Amino acid sequence: MHLLNLGILAHVDAGKTSLTERLLQSAGVIDEIGSVDAGSTQTDSLALERQRGITIKSAVVSFTWDDVTVNLIDTPGHPDFIAEVERVLGVLDGAVLVVSAVEGVQPQTRVLMRTLQRLRIPTLVFVNKIDRRGARYDAVLRAVSERLTAAVVPMGTATALGTPAARFLPGLGTAALDVLAGLDDDLLTAYVEGEVTGERLRAALAARTREALVHPVYFGSAITGAGVDALSVGIRELLPAAAGDPGGPVSGTVFKVERGPAGEKVAYARMFSGTLRTRDRIRFGASEATGAPADSSDGGGLAHSTATPGHGDTRAEGRVTAISVFDRGTDVRVAQVAAGRIARLWGLADIRIGDTIGEPRKAYGHFFAPPTLETIVAPADGVDRRALHRALTRLAEQDPLIDLRHDEVRQETFVSLYGEVQKEVIQATLADDFGLDVTFRETTPLCIERPVGSGSAVEFNKKDGNPFLATVGLRVDPAPAGSGVEFRLEVELGSMPYAFFKAVEDTVRETLGQGLHGWQVPDCTVTMTHSGYSPRQSHAHQGFDKSMSSTGYDFRGVTPLVLIEALRRAGTRVHEPLHHFRLEAPSDTLAALLPVLTRLRATAQTTQTRGAFCRLEGSVPAAHVHELEQQLPGLTRGEGELESAFEHYAPAPRGTLPQRRRTDLNPLNRKEYLLNLTRRVGN
């Protein structure tokens, strides 16, 4: 028996949760197919998912077909919850991408397929809803080939489209041979010599599918069951089994974290090697040895590269107190879990999404863009602000792409977002799960700052009004977009205790979260040019004299003043997030559309006309994407289609620069900073 970890992905409303239900029913896990509209599906277990009819959190369910055990993962389709999809991709052996036979290839479909191809995840395509009025075969197959991938192999034909009697007739045609012969020299030779058999063709299809070079396409209906049996055969025969040596060193990756009934953390992990047992003590976390994120594109995240030696493995250690695996629609407690399986783990209190369990693997990286919007969560009258902050922290630990900032002075919490739907879901989750009533302020774009030049500053121990027993000198230099923050030393590592160097580096990274205009500074090199400290002092018959000896507090206190002054001398420029957009609309609506695009500061780089429709591609500020989405139906008689995704950061227009309210102690104002620091220490 072999194991397969399978992901179901799609644009929202393409029918992937219904397909999941049909697969579970065909495998005998459930007797009756649940309804998304009725809120009775197996994988959408959250009350909010049942109310809205959409998938918000990924869910795992297991079933068995003959000699194949499948761990099936249902993922959200709405782009606001792309972080849930991102977590799943790194643990999949194969995927099914669902496309609607009525709507065809949609914006999120393209985003998902590009990512699946980049990660070389073997993928089958299932064109759903062939029983619905308006269902198409040739047009959708052509759109899949033109807009998703040219290497598609139709696995049969469909009849009676658009009626309840619609059926899928399996069979490989000449198109399969045309595609496969171009990828397989042996098959091409056999074709020339007239020796291609059905078995040979099927074997070549399986081999190229497992290499993610071709994508078989099935048509069917999750509601009626048409084509699902053929898809089931394809999943069993064409997708690769989970790999991994159960006898090797323990290594796994955490892709989801939730809280149990008692508030304890429960980690969902895919095991890639070894066998993990209950009561095992295991190291976990993100080791610096694992390297840079998988996608270091211009995403604005802080990379953890450093030139400081001696860090070692900073991962945590914990004892696994319980393990469960997924089996026939439920999860079952077991004593151990081996390579290839997905398990739920208890006992690892500090575990986070993306952590490696056991032996370090390739670093967990972001496959999709970071959130580009931010809002303030405002509690209603009578809501405990501390309880709200704890609840938001719980939500953020389940979503590593959501960032929280807390303003202690104003007692406000900022949360980053992908879109307005996500805001609604957070609001409902806080109300349903935590009993907290909140509203949101206006959504604003998340900008970043980049150094314009180089700048240096230094504060000397006990000189020029420096109240800290520490000497710190820093130089800030620009770095290429996407390179992250690099911390270097121009002073001898042995010139003072290593803990002081570590305090400076950690504070540098924290301080860069808010630059001169309040935005994150994601790409720069910070070099420590001066260092000095007051050695440990003590008096006879007395203990350590803190007033005469340097501590980590001194270095953490002076570093923001030095770094911000260096940034001030270097200068920074605010960059705003831009989305790449692809817009298709009737050609006769272009006259009404172009002025709106201009007003929203959208720039069309290419324009193509195809028959009665035109396609525009270009860039638009993230701040205006939602407004464009809202106005598009009215401007295009409901026929316009917009696809957008974060592309890069670009300098904000000259004039009034976007400012972000500071939530730190404001090192821009020395007097205010020292006063705020004194108050914090006093508290």
Side-chain angles (χ1 to χ4, degrees):
M1 175 174 288
H2 78 255
L3 180 68
L4 170 65
N5 296 299
L6 177 71
I8 305 289
L9 300 91
H11 185 100
V12 66
D13 288 336
K16 79 190 147 39
T17 298
S18 297
L19 176 60
T20 299
E21 291 289 305
R22 176 62 67 176
L23 293 173
L24 294 177
Q25 192 262 353
S26 68
V29 173
I30 56 177
D31 296 326
E32 185 176 344
I33 294 176
S35 166
V36 173
D37 294 334
S40 58
T41 58
Q42 183 84 1
T43 52
D44 286 346
S45 58
L46 298 179
L48 190 59
E49 291 178 314
R50 298 182 186 278
Q51 292 167 13
R52 296 185 65 99
I54 61 173
T55 303
I56 298 170
K57 294 292 184 182
S58 58
V60 183
V61 64
S62 180
F63 56 87
T64 300
W65 281 323
D66 300 329
D67 62 342
V68 179
T69 297
V70 178
N71 285 327
L72 190 149
I73 308 176
D74 185 20
T75 63
H78 198 285
D80 280 13
F81 308 106
I82 198 67
E84 280 291 321
V85 180
E86 172 177 285
R87 299 198 261 285
V88 171
L89 292 178
V91 305
L92 296 181
D93 303 306
V96 174
L97 182 63
V98 184
V99 179
S100 168
V102 179
E103 288 82 11
V105 174
Q106 295 171 282
Q108 187 74 349
T109 321
R110 293 169 59 88
V111 172
L112 292 169
M113 178 56 95
R114 282 198 298 266
T115 307
L116 289 165
Q117 290 179 316
R118 187 165 71 246
L119 299 175
R120 299 190 65 82
I121 296 175
T123 302
L124 311 181
V125 178
F126 182 73
V127 181
N128 191 27
K129 302 183 180 181
I130 63 171
D131 58 318
R132 292 267 303 275
R133 179 178 298 179
R136 299 161 296 155
Y137 179 88
D138 291 332
V140 173
L141 189 60
R142 185 167 57 252
V144 170
S145 177
E146 292 177 354
R147 303 182 65 186
L148 295 183
T149 172
V152 297
V153 175
M155 299 301 291
T157 58
T159 62
L161 288 169
T163 72
R167 293 290 180 268
F168 179 68
L169 307 176
L172 288 176
T174 56
L177 185 57
D178 293 340
V179 172
L180 291 169
L183 299 169
D184 190 319
D185 291 340
D186 292 339
L187 184 65
L188 179 59
T189 301
Y191 171 65
V192 172
E193 296 175 354
E195 298 177 354
V196 176
T197 63
E199 183 178 351
R200 179 74 174 273
L201 190 62
R202 190 84 182 183
L205 175 63
R208 301 293 87 80
T209 301
R210 289 167 185 165
E211 295 171 354
L213 295 177
V214 300
H215 302 283
V217 181
Y218 298 83
F219 282 72
S221 168
I223 297 301
T224 67
V228 176
D229 286 343
L231 175 66
S232 302
V233 173
I235 292 172
R236 294 196 298 270
E237 296 182 354
L238 302 179
L239 295 180
D245 178 12
V250 172
S251 182
T253 297
V254 176
F255 66 92
K256 179 177 179 177
V257 173
E258 65 183 16
R259 293 276 180 170
E264 76 281 14
K265 276 190 179 180
V266 183
Y268 287 64
R270 159 72 189 267
M271 300 305 299
F272 289 95
S273 174
T275 299
L276 183 63
R277 298 173 176 83
T278 305
R279 308 297 296 170
D280 279 355
R281 287 197 68 82
I282 194 74
R283 297 189 70 81
F284 60 88
S287 171
E288 292 189 9
T290 56
D295 184 3
S296 58
S297 61
D298 190 6
L302 285 180
H304 293 278
S305 58
T306 177
T308 306
H311 277 222
D313 189 347
T314 58
R315 297 184 300 159
E317 185 174 296
R319 187 184 300 277
V320 178
T321 58
I323 301 173
S324 71
V325 297
F326 297 92
D327 184 37
R328 299 182 183 276
T330 184
D331 63 310
V332 179
R333 290 293 179 101
V334 293
Q336 63 184 39
V337 57
R341 300 212 68 163
I342 290 176
R344 301 172 78 209
L345 308 176
W346 282 259
L348 307 178
D350 297 322
I351 199 80
R352 294 175 59 85
I353 292 170
D355 280 355
T356 292
I357 296 174
E359 290 294 314
R361 303 183 67 255
K362 181 180 178 181
Y364 175 82
H366 295 326
F367 307 128
F368 297 101
T372 56
L373 303 173
E374 185 178 61
T375 186
I376 297 176
V377 185
D381 292 340
V383 171
D384 186 341
R385 292 180 181 273
R386 292 185 178 180
L388 173 59
H389 186 65
R390 287 194 298 269
L392 287 170
T393 301
R394 284 272 189 99
L395 295 182
E397 73 183 15
Q398 298 173 23
D399 192 337
L401 296 186
I402 288 182
D403 184 41
L404 294 180
R405 292 193 309 131
H406 186 62
D407 186 338
E408 293 184 2
V409 177
R410 300 176 182 86
Q411 288 296 297
E412 292 178 335
T413 300
F414 298 74
V415 60
S416 57
L417 301 165
Y418 278 99
E420 297 298 319
V421 173
Q422 190 181 14
K423 184 192 294 185
E424 296 172 19
V425 168
I426 291 175
Q427 183 180 37
T429 303
L430 289 172
D432 296 343
D433 295 355
F434 300 95
L436 302 173
D437 185 16
V438 302
T439 57
F440 292 90
R441 307 275 174 81
E442 181 184 3
T443 302
T444 57
L446 271 172
C447 300
I448 63 169
E449 295 181 50
R450 291 205 170 103
V452 175
S454 298
S456 301
V458 61
E459 292 271 352
F460 291 100
N461 188 349
K462 303 178 183 177
K463 291 183 180 180
D464 302 323
N466 176 10
F468 303 102
L469 298 178
T471 294
V472 173
L474 298 172
R475 184 179 68 249
V476 176
D477 297 298
S483 61
V485 174
E486 184 175 6
F487 183 78
R488 295 176 175 173
L489 296 180
E490 279 187 0
V491 295
E492 292 292 333
L493 186 60
S495 61
M496 64 181 187
Y498 170 72
F500 295 161
F501 286 110
K502 188 67 166 65
V504 172
E505 180 181 355
D506 290 347
T507 307
V508 162
R509 296 187 183 280
E510 181 181 350
T511 304
L512 288 173
Q514 298 182 72
L516 302 182
H517 302 279
W519 305 104
Q520 182 187 37
V521 184
D523 303 307
C524 64
T525 299
V526 180
T527 305
M528 190 169 183
T529 58
H530 296 75
S531 66
Y533 74 109
S534 295
R536 184 181 182 92
Q537 301 289 328
S538 60
H539 301 288
H541 310 296
Q542 294 183 9
F544 168 57
D545 189 345
K546 183 178 179 181
S547 66
M548 299 175 62
S549 310
S550 297
T551 65
Y553 161 81
D554 292 293
F555 287 90
R556 288 190 295 271
V558 74
T559 296
L561 291 173
V562 178
L563 181 59
I564 287 296
E565 182 58 30
L567 272 177
R568 199 196 311 260
R569 294 175 182 178
T572 66
R573 183 158 186 193
V574 176
H575 289 61
E576 65 177 351
L578 293 186
H579 281 218
H580 177 81
F581 75 85
R582 181 181 288 103
L583 193 158
E584 292 190 4
S587 299
D588 61 358
T589 65
L590 202 57
L593 198 55
L594 289 177
V596 175
L597 292 176
T598 301
R599 181 176 59 81
L600 298 179
R601 292 200 290 121
T603 304
Q605 276 118 28
T606 63
T607 304
Q608 294 179 329
T609 300
R610 294 183 178 180
F613 277 78
C614 65
R615 174 189 292 180
L616 286 75
E617 290 194 45
S619 59
V620 58
H624 300 311
V625 170
H626 184 60
E627 185 177 352
L628 180 57
E629 291 173 339
Q630 289 182 313
Q631 294 199 28
L632 188 62
L635 294 168
T636 61
R637 302 189 298 273
E639 298 180 65
E641 179 182 304
L642 176 68
E643 174 189 340
S644 75
F646 170 79
E647 183 177 43
H648 67 285
Y649 290 97
R654 296 290 184 183
T656 304
L657 286 177
Q659 300 285 330
R660 190 189 199 192
R661 190 163 42 179
R662 304 194 73 88
T663 57
D664 59 7
L665 302 181
N666 192 20
L668 284 170
N669 185 318
R670 185 184 186 93
K671 183 177 179 180
E672 180 182 340
Y673 172 80
L674 294 175
L675 182 60
N676 287 334
L677 185 62
T678 302
R679 287 172 177 168
R680 173 179 285 184
V681 173
N683 291 334

